[in-house]
Amino acid sequence: MTSRLTARDLALRYGDRVVSTRLSVDVPDGALTAVVGPNACGKSTMLRALVRLLRPVEGTVTFDGTDIGTIAAKRFARSVAFLPQEPSAPDDIRVRQLVARGRFPHQSLFSGWSEADQEAVTGAMAAAGITDLAERLVQELSGGQRQRVWVAMALAQRTPYLLLDEPTSFLDITHQYQLLALLSRLRDEGRTVIAVLHDVNQACRFADHVIAMRNGAVVAEGAPADIVDAALIKEVFDLPCLVVPDPVTGTPMVVPTVDRGSIA
């Protein structure tokens, strides 16, 4: 496994609240990586550190061997795109305008809007299934529609690395699977994708590599078939379960063994 984006011995915190200590991770090149774990275990914090939105108290994050804190912002944004968990947009912005903001890292004082920019925006909207929403105000859209608009903006950035924090939030089940299939296609085209997912079964079905976290630490990482078993799910989520082959893909599938009466 090779990795251009790596973290070593990170100490991460918000004010006095410590999230992680000595956190290390390698993002496999050309793979779709899913980060899973219970709420507030540090998944989003790790992604924020990987994209320079949170400066580590200790340790380093490097891209191509260079500390990302020393890389110019636009240069880094031409390589790594990030979709945060709760993005926000101006009230009066239209869908096409918001998606076009993904092209900002490719703009300069001496270059105007190009055919390549237009192609990237049009292609990203088509990939996210929002072409028909192009002239709608973002504030008028449903949560699921807005989420797909944000995904399109990240796609329009056309970076080799794409990091997404809970990209399936607000999406109905059909659009969840369509988005995960899209991320798989991007991986097949050579991009490196890392996404925080809540659904372990979706992570096992679509990801090449899974990072399981709890209490700010990586508990296990590797191919789903190699690491996902009942013991790991119990350790990470405190959930009794069986892990059986998915009847469609053969990948690990988590089946909880608790009954309805035992769920608080």
Side-chain angles (χ1 to χ4, degrees):
M1 182 187 73
T2 60
S3 177
R4 298 172 66 193
L5 182 61
T6 65
R8 286 290 175 271
D9 298 324
L10 301 185
L12 304 173
R13 70 186 185 195
Y14 296 106
D16 294 330
R17 184 171 69 87
V18 177
V19 178
S20 293
T21 58
R22 301 192 66 81
L23 174 65
S24 295
V25 68
D26 296 304
V27 178
D29 293 339
L32 171 52
T33 296
V35 185
V36 300
N39 291 339
C41 73
K43 303 184 299 295
S44 298
T45 300
M46 181 181 73
L47 254 63
R48 288 174 58 84
L50 291 175
V51 296
R52 333 182 347 153
L53 291 179
L54 179 65
R55 183 184 295 274
V57 178
E58 297 177 3
T60 57
V61 179
T62 61
F63 186 73
D64 284 341
T66 301
D67 187 326
I68 62 172
T70 67
I71 303 174
K74 272 196 171 184
R75 179 185 163 200
F76 187 71
R78 288 194 292 269
S79 295
V80 179
F82 176 57
L83 176 63
Q85 188 174 352
E86 295 181 355
S88 60
D91 289 342
D92 59 349
I93 196 168
R94 298 188 182 275
V95 167
R96 187 185 299 277
Q97 293 172 312
L98 183 58
V99 176
R101 291 193 173 189
R103 300 302 299 165
F104 175 74
H106 302 275
Q107 306 294 309
S108 72
L109 292 175
F110 307 103
S111 64
W113 189 257
S114 68
E115 290 186 9
D117 294 325
Q118 186 59 48
E119 179 187 354
V121 169
T122 301
M125 290 195 298
I130 60 165
T131 301
D132 59 331
L133 304 177
E135 302 308 321
R136 295 274 301 276
L137 289 172
V138 174
Q139 65 177 342
E140 297 176 350
L141 304 180
S142 70
Q145 289 172 323
R146 284 197 299 272
Q147 187 72 356
R148 287 187 285 144
V149 172
W150 285 109
V151 168
M153 190 188 79
L155 294 178
Q157 205 166 323
R158 285 201 171 174
T159 55
Y161 276 67
L162 180 61
L163 282 70
L164 308 102
D165 192 356
E166 298 187 21
T168 56
S169 296
F170 307 111
L171 300 181
D172 59 51
I173 190 168
T174 298
H175 284 111
Q176 287 179 29
Y177 278 85
Q178 287 177 346
L179 174 58
L180 292 167
L182 171 60
L183 298 182
S184 296
R185 291 196 299 274
L186 294 175
R187 179 271 321 279
D188 293 342
E189 293 169 2
R191 296 206 210 183
T192 298
V193 182
I194 179 169
V196 170
L197 298 177
H198 274 300
D199 190 318
V200 177
N201 290 332
Q202 289 180 346
C204 289
R205 177 177 281 205
F206 287 93
D208 309 294
H209 188 79
V210 171
I211 298 173
M213 297 185 64
R214 185 179 177 92
N215 295 330
V218 174
V219 175
E221 62 177 313
D226 293 338
I227 68 165
V228 177
D229 57 19
L232 179 71
I233 300 303
K234 177 64 177 175
E235 180 181 3
V236 172
F237 294 97
D238 197 25
L239 178 70
C241 70
L242 297 174
V243 175
V244 300
D246 185 305
V248 176
T249 63
T251 52
M253 184 174 72
V254 176
V255 181
T257 55
V258 294
D259 60 34
R260 289 175 292 179
S262 63
I263 300 176

